[in-house]
């Protein structure tokens, strides 16, 4: 990662719209494949594991590169954000095919990654490596969830929403404790991010945390309503 490649990220700039456009293109490409093509040509488990490795390598390189230039710190660099959890679960899901993991990736993963795509909280923009890392891993989470829906026949359930909400609320006290120990702001539980985000519309601290619970449930419910009745080829 070059120190000369540092440029501030600008929301709703051309690089931002380019990232969104590439994600939409990838989703269209995913949906253009028939399920039988996935089995006979794409190699099934092979491509799932290659994609899992690419996501893992991108994440590991991000942490190593930030350590190398002295930008990594325990107070803000640990993989303890919602999308960090979703990424870990998505990689595990792709590698193992464990269907018990699909609910979390589908609901928390898509919900969090879409919000991240629309209102990114990143320190550097194009052409810095952080730009490519941010949009690749967040796009990878969304594509993993849609892949298991489109190619593997996963059917979202309302029970999956409840399981995901329970899991997320189980993580909150742990993240609160870690934030207190390392003086961090993981999952934005201590304060809102600077630079603008969805949280700006959800009230002051700490009430925006409760508002975010309602937003998350509403978003998960919307995903369930959109995808539960769709027929797949």
């Amino acid at each position: 990662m070059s120190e000369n490649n540092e440029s501030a990220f600008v929301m709703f700039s051309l690089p931002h719209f380019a990232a969104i456009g590439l994600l939409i293109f990838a989703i269209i490409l995913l949906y253009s494949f028939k399920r039988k093509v996935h089995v006979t040509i794409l190699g099934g488990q092979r491509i799932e594991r290659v994609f899992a490795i690419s996501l893992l390598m991108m994440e590991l390189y991000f942490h190593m590169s930030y350590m190398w230039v002295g930008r990594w710190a325990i107070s803000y660099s640990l993989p303890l954000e919602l999308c960090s959890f979703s990424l870990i679960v998505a990689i595990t899901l792709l590698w193992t095919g464990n269907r018990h993991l699909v609910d979390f990736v589908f609901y928390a993963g898509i919900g969090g990654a879409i919000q991240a795509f629309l209102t990114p909280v990143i320190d550097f923009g194009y052409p810095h490596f952080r730009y490519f890392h941010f949009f690749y891993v967040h796009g990878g989470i969304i594509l993993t969830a849609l892949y298991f829906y489109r190619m593997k026949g996963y059917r979202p359930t309302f029970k999956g929403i409840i399981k995901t909400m329970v899991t997320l609320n189980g993580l909150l006290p742990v993240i609160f404790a870690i934030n207190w120990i390392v003086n961090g702001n993981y999952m934005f539980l201590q304060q809102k991010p600077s630079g603008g985000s969805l949280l700006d519309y959800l009230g002051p601290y700490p009430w925006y945390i409760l508002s975010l619970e309602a937003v998350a449930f509403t978003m998960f419910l919307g995903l369930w309503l959109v995808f539960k009745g769709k027929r797949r080829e």
Side-chain angles (χ1 to χ4, degrees):
M1 181 176 60
S2 172
E3 290 291 290
N4 297 322
N5 260 357
E6 297 184 3
S7 55
F9 179 81
V10 179
M11 196 178 301
F12 305 129
S13 60
L14 180 59
H16 187 189
F17 284 120
I20 294 173
L22 284 173
L23 175 64
I24 293 173
F25 175 76
I27 292 172
I28 292 173
L29 190 64
L30 174 65
Y31 270 72
S32 70
F33 285 115
K34 306 291 185 181
R35 292 180 66 184
K36 63 182 180 181
V37 173
H38 157 255
V39 174
T40 59
I41 297 179
L42 296 184
Q45 188 182 68
R46 185 181 303 110
I47 197 168
E48 293 162 18
R49 291 190 169 185
V50 168
F51 190 43
I53 291 172
S54 75
L55 291 171
L56 178 61
M57 291 299 101
M58 183 69 84
E59 183 70 3
L60 290 177
Y61 182 74
F62 163 69
H63 286 281
M64 290 188 295
S65 62
Y66 265 46
M67 289 177 182
W68 180 259
V69 298
R71 295 190 183 278
W72 198 97
I74 194 171
S75 61
Y76 57 79
S77 301
L78 294 173
L80 297 177
E81 305 292 355
L82 173 59
C83 287
S84 299
F85 288 116
S86 298
L87 177 63
I88 293 169
V89 177
I91 291 171
T92 306
L93 172 62
L94 286 164
W95 191 265
T96 65
N98 186 340
R99 295 179 69 88
H100 293 292
L101 304 176
V102 180
D103 286 324
F104 190 89
V105 179
F106 189 87
Y107 290 117
I110 291 181
I114 285 178
Q115 192 273 331
F117 253 86
L118 295 179
T119 57
V121 180
I122 51 176
D123 38 9
F124 301 114
Y126 179 88
H128 196 276
F129 169 75
R130 174 59 169 150
Y131 167 87
F132 295 101
H133 164 263
F134 183 91
F135 288 109
Y136 184 78
V137 297
H138 285 87
I141 293 168
I142 295 172
L143 291 173
T144 297
L146 294 180
Y147 169 85
F148 272 81
Y149 170 81
R150 171 65 176 171
M151 298 295 187
K152 308 286 279 190
Y154 167 73
R155 189 177 184 85
T157 65
F158 186 80
K159 181 180 178 181
I161 296 177
I162 303 303
K163 287 167 56 181
T164 303
M165 291 296 296
V166 168
T167 301
L168 290 175
N169 279 277
L171 287 172
L172 291 185
V174 177
I175 303 303
F176 267 118
I178 294 174
N179 281 336
W180 182 79
I181 293 170
V182 304
N183 192 29
N185 187 33
Y186 293 109
M187 293 182 70
F188 305 119
L189 295 180
Q190 303 302 112
Q191 63 183 24
K192 299 177 184 180
S194 59
S197 73
L198 172 66
L199 301 184
D200 292 337
Y201 304 97
L202 300 182
Y205 179 87
W207 305 112
Y208 70 82
I209 299 173
L210 296 177
S211 300
L212 196 57
E213 293 262 0
V215 170
F217 182 81
T218 301
M219 186 175 293
F220 298 167
L221 187 63
L223 287 169
W224 174 63
L225 292 173
V226 168
F227 287 94
K228 72 182 182 71
K230 295 289 185 181
R231 296 180 60 186
R232 294 170 294 284
E233 296 177 17

